[in-house]
């Protein structure tokens, strides 16, 4: 329940209706998972969307090294006034930028009301300037999704068309389902051709349907299809124009009630 913070969320919802947002939590699987995650962001950006990466992955799954960046300062460090959002944002050619957010995602349930409000305001400002926010999460974290992943209205799995990609994809889906996740978009990377990508998705969809029961939605091939169109067209639920407000509304409720995806 959101209690007294609902008025703030309603104001954000009105703002986001004027500039329709999309907030998507995404995972990438396979031997080249980091490269797939970055390629997906660039593909969406080339489809006329300003993409902000909130990178909560750590270790080898973090995107910084592959993007030619240092590890960067975490979004959490903004709360004590040491850094501004402009100083936190790491420019990435072709994208709006990257902000490390692993510590912020971990700390959110423990923040007092003032610091939580400050963090939500920072996310609101970032959302206002970005077209799509991609929350990049590591596969190992799927068993215990962060508040950011839980709050995201949409989830995307970028699955490499390989044995390891399929195995990891199934594991991520199963773990998210155990945490209460519903449907998930799937984009396939490194397929030989369109038929190979579709066959890979169909096999994964059949396995998940029989053993997990979570609906998978075909999004396309990472290298060839318009991924942004599938993410920003009106799904049901939630409406695309309300997804950013829903993300912030869910974050506002972290700590006041048990979270579900």
């Amino acid at each position: 329940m959101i209690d007294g913070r609902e008025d703030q969320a309603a104001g954000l919802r009105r703002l986001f209706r004027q500039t329709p947002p999309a907030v998507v939590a995404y995972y990438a699987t396979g031997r080249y998972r980091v490269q797939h995650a970055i390629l997906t962001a660039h593909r969406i950006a080339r489809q006329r969307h300003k993409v902000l990466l909130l990178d909560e992955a750590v270790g080898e799954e973090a995107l910084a090294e592959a993007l030619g960046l240092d590890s960067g300062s975490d979004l959490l460090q903004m709360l004590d006034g040491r850094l501004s959002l402009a100083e936190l944002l790491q420019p990435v050619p072709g994208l709006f930028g990257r902000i490390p957010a692993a510590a912020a995602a971990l700390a959110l349930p423990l923040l007092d009301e003032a610091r939580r409000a400050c963090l939500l305001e920072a996310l609101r400002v970032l959302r206002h300037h970005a077209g799509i926010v991609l929350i990049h999460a590591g596969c190992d974290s799927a068993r215990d999704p962060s508040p950011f992943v839980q709050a995201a209205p949409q989830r995307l799995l970028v699955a490499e068309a390989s044995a390891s990609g399929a195995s990891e994809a199934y594991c991520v889906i199963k773990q998210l389902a155990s945490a209460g996740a519903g449907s998930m978009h799937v984009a396939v990377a490194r397929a030989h051709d369109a038929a190979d990508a579709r066959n890979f998705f169909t096999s994964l969809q059949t396995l998940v349907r029989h053993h997990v029961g979570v609906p998978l939605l075909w999004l396309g091939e990472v290298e060839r299809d318009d991924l942004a169109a599938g993410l920003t067209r009106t799904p049901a639920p939630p409406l695309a124009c309300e997804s950013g407000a829903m993300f912030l509304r869910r974050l506002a409720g972290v700590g006041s009630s048990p979270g579900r995806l």
Side-chain angles (χ1 to χ4, degrees):
M1 297 295 102
I2 310 219
D3 52 73
R5 291 181 284 269
E6 179 61 34
D7 288 343
Q8 180 188 19
L12 294 177
R13 189 160 56 248
R14 287 192 295 272
L15 169 65
F16 292 145
R17 280 173 177 162
Q18 297 169 10
T19 54
V23 179
V24 182
Y26 81 126
Y27 298 79
T29 71
R31 291 179 59 195
Y32 304 98
R33 64 175 71 92
V34 170
Q35 289 83 351
H36 300 328
I38 293 171
L39 178 59
T40 298
H42 279 285
R43 288 285 297 163
I44 292 172
R46 284 199 295 268
Q47 291 146 9
R48 299 178 303 281
H49 292 275
K50 292 168 64 177
V51 173
L52 170 67
L53 290 170
L54 279 184
D55 191 5
E56 65 168 54
V58 296
E60 294 182 353
E61 291 195 89
L63 303 180
E65 183 176 353
L67 288 170
L69 304 170
D70 58 35
S71 57
S73 299
D74 195 275
L75 181 60
L76 186 66
Q77 292 181 264
M78 180 211 63
L79 299 184
D80 61 9
R82 284 182 291 171
L83 294 171
S84 67
L85 282 178
E87 292 171 317
L88 285 171
L89 183 67
Q90 296 180 303
V92 178
L95 305 179
F96 182 63
R98 170 187 179 264
I99 290 184
L106 184 66
L108 181 60
L110 307 176
L111 296 178
D112 59 34
E113 187 171 345
R115 288 184 172 83
R116 184 181 303 175
C118 180
L119 181 58
L120 293 176
E121 176 63 14
L123 291 170
R124 186 198 68 80
V125 170
L126 291 168
R127 264 305 300 124
H128 182 64
H129 288 92
I132 290 181
V133 175
L134 294 179
I135 302 167
H136 175 247
C139 292
D140 289 343
S141 69
R143 67 175 62 88
D144 185 21
S146 76
F148 288 173
V149 171
Q150 291 178 339
Q154 297 184 78
R155 288 163 297 280
L156 167 63
L157 180 66
V158 181
E160 181 182 275
S162 66
S164 63
S167 176
E168 290 174 6
Y170 177 76
C171 184
V172 168
I173 293 167
K174 185 175 180 180
Q175 289 175 339
L176 288 175
S178 296
S183 63
M184 176 177 291
H185 281 96
V186 175
V188 178
R190 294 181 69 88
H192 296 302
D193 51 34
D196 183 40
R198 274 287 190 176
N199 289 337
F200 178 89
F201 171 76
T202 299
S203 296
L204 180 63
Q205 183 183 46
T206 300
L207 179 66
V208 170
R209 182 188 301 121
H210 287 167
H211 297 282
V212 183
V214 171
L216 300 184
L217 309 174
W218 167 253
L219 191 62
E221 291 182 81
V222 172
E223 297 85 354
R224 286 174 277 273
D225 291 332
D226 188 346
L227 306 181
L231 291 174
T232 57
R233 73 170 58 100
T234 304
L239 294 175
C241 65
E242 293 185 346
S243 70
M246 181 175 290
F247 170 66
L248 290 165
R249 188 168 63 247
R250 288 175 174 176
L251 283 183
V254 169
S256 58
S257 63
R260 298 288 285 176
L261 280 72

